Amino acid sequence: MGREFVHDKGQTNKIIESWQEGLLAAGLAGAPVVVVLSTARDSQRVHSAALIASVVAGVLLLLAALLLYFHWLTTPSRRHSWTVTAAVVMSVQVLVSTSHDLAEPISGSRNLAMSSAIDLLAAVLVLVLLLLGWRAVRNPQPLLLGIGLAIGLMFLHALVHVEPPLVVSATPAWGLAAAIVAGHLAIAGLVLHDHNQIAWARHRLASTVLLIGIAHAVRSGAVEGWATDLAAATALVGAAALWASASFFLLRDALATQHRRAIVLEGSLLEIETNLRGSREQLHEIRSTVAGAASAARLLDDRAISPLTHDRLERAIRTELDRLERLVVPQAPQTPGPVDLDSTLDVLLQSQRAQGRTVEWEPSGGTAVHARPDDVAEALGILLDNAATHGGTASRVSVTAEQDLVEIAVIDAGPGVPLEARDGIFDWGVHRSDSPGQGIGLSVARRLVSEHGGTLTLAEPDEAPGSSFIIRLPAARRSEEADVRGA
């Protein structure tokens, strides 16, 4: 009930706004009439004022047809393409007929009948165009076709002033007026039955068609006098106001709809990109974990290794396989707690050494950080792989405890990071053209560290070769460290 009320209230507000726009358009179109009539003293000036108003209304009708064309571009439809073509023909017909009368008034019943016959022909042409739309006949380009047909009507209007008159005998004015009204009634009926269009827009366009028909019928010569000129001008001004406001609101609503769809599409693309990033990050970690476990497993077959090394390799393999299982099989996320760095680094370094890499490290004596174990292992593993990839097979790890923070430095002896690349080295997907990596690891490592209130930075370059990546994480509390040592 509440949703329906909100919907009805929104529709009511839209209708009120559309009528406000219609009144504004009517004011703009009727301004020349007011100006000229305020100074008019005879019927000739009233006739001129009416023609000026009619020309302005014709211009507004043509602009409304162009707005309808832009609306069709945002929401293309085969039936509406024919409607746009018909709108262009009708608006150009109004503009050309009124402009001809203003430039060279029509005299004589035969020429007047010829002009009305062209109005009737335009109505029949519009009716045929709408019927083609109902038959879903393909329209190549509504604006070009509409302009082409309008040019033909302009040529016929030019023949009205040819001497001798092209019409041999005057056609009954009442008959032409009735035929014009009947044609526009048929057009309005087709517009009203186009349920693919919004109801208020159908009614507005149908009213526009009827007012144009009335204006053409009044100008057919059935009734003479300056009052008929004012009646035709009033009808055209009203038609222009209705059509302009309807086209404006249709285009505005279509653009708003397209904007909302663009926002939804952008959100969907962002979600897809986020999921893709997550999948690539997971694959990156799985590949690294599998590589370390596989290298350690191959070393188990070497009889030259000591029993102690054999046991440490088995523990490293079990630890890596457990982490791999947590990556592949959905599980509840780990709870942050004390993570013993000596145990974590011992497992990681066994995997690194199994891959033929040399890593110098001195146990810190049980230093622990407060984080998720898998996150610490993954971040350190990324830095060790990065050091081996870009700094050679030899690297060094140092652990320093400073009050509430623990600093872990991974140092290599490679060429270091170029100055121009230092600013974007932690950006996702950024890597040098000659780098074998994908630019994912360092970004993931920084994110994992920052999730625990820590930082990952690249130390400033010094005289020594290589690069140094430093992780700073909150230290575990003393009670937590004691629990870790007891375990």
Side-chain angles (χ1 to χ4, degrees), residues 64-86:
L66 292 177
L67 290 178
L68 202 62
Y69 169 71
F70 292 136
H71 170 259
W72 173 79
L73 289 178
T74 58
T75 55
S77 167
R78 184 169 295 182
R79 179 183 295 182
H80 288 169
S81 67
W82 290 102
T83 303
V84 173
T85 305

Side-chain angles (χ1 to χ4, degrees), residues 79-80 134 190-199 202:
R79 179 183 295 182
H80 288 169
W134 278 87
L190 287 178
V191 172
L192 287 175
H193 283 82
D194 184 8
H195 294 287
N196 292 328
Q197 189 60 267
I198 306 174
R202 295 200 310 268

Side-chain angles (χ1 to χ4, degrees), residues 154-372:
M154 292 171 61
F155 176 74
L156 293 178
H157 274 287
L159 296 179
V160 172
H161 300 280
V162 175
E163 295 293 341
L166 296 179
V167 180
V168 178
S169 61
T171 306
W174 284 106
L176 284 174
I180 291 173
V181 172
H184 285 79
L185 282 173
I187 296 171
L190 287 178
V191 172
L192 287 175
H193 283 82
D194 184 8
H195 294 287
N196 292 328
Q197 189 60 267
I198 306 174
W200 65 264
R202 295 200 310 268
H203 297 155
R204 192 71 62 86
L205 294 178
S207 301
T208 298
V209 171
L210 289 177
L211 287 174
I212 292 176
I214 292 172
H216 287 327
V218 169
R219 295 174 62 248
S220 65
V223 179
E224 297 182 357
W226 62 267
T228 59
D229 297 329
L230 284 182
T234 303
L236 290 178
V237 168
L242 290 173
W243 201 339
S245 60
S247 300
F248 171 78
F249 271 90
L250 284 174
L251 179 59
R252 191 190 69 172
D253 292 347
L255 293 177
T257 301
Q258 294 296 329
H259 180 66
R260 288 192 296 268
R261 289 177 179 174
I263 292 176
V264 173
L265 180 60
E266 184 179 359
S268 300
L269 291 177
L270 182 61
E271 183 179 357
I272 293 173
E273 182 181 0
T274 302
N275 293 336
L276 181 60
R277 277 194 178 191
S279 299
R280 291 183 62 182
E281 290 175 1
Q282 187 181 35
L283 182 61
H284 182 275
E285 185 177 359
I286 290 174
R287 185 185 296 114
S288 176
T289 304
V290 169
S295 300
R298 284 193 294 269
L299 281 181
L300 290 178
D301 296 332
D302 189 356
R303 296 182 179 181
I305 63 174
S306 64
L308 178 59
T309 303
H310 190 280
D311 293 341
R312 295 174 72 181
L313 286 172
E314 285 186 339
R315 185 166 69 89
I317 292 173
R318 287 195 300 270
T319 302
E320 293 292 84
L321 290 179
D322 289 341
R323 188 155 67 99
L324 181 62
E325 182 181 9
R326 288 192 292 271
L327 285 172
V328 176
V329 181
Q331 298 179 5
Q334 289 182 327
T335 303
V339 180
D340 182 65
L341 292 179
D342 289 347
S343 300
T344 302
L345 283 169
D346 183 62
V347 171
L348 291 173
L349 296 187
Q350 290 299 326
S351 300
Q352 292 289 319
R353 290 162 183 163
Q355 300 177 63
R357 302 167 180 174
T358 301
V359 183
E360 297 180 8
W361 168 65
E362 291 292 336
S364 61
T367 302
V369 295
H370 183 81
R372 287 187 290 266

Side-chain angles (χ1 to χ4, degrees), residues 369-407:
V369 295
H370 183 81
R372 287 187 290 266
D374 282 354
D375 291 350
V376 176
E378 183 179 358
L380 289 173
I382 289 172
L383 294 184
L384 290 170
D385 289 340
N386 186 72
T389 302
H390 301 285
T393 57
S395 58
R396 178 165 56 91
V397 178
S398 66
V399 179
T400 306
E402 300 178 356
Q403 296 182 353
D404 295 334
L405 285 177
V406 175
E407 183 179 289

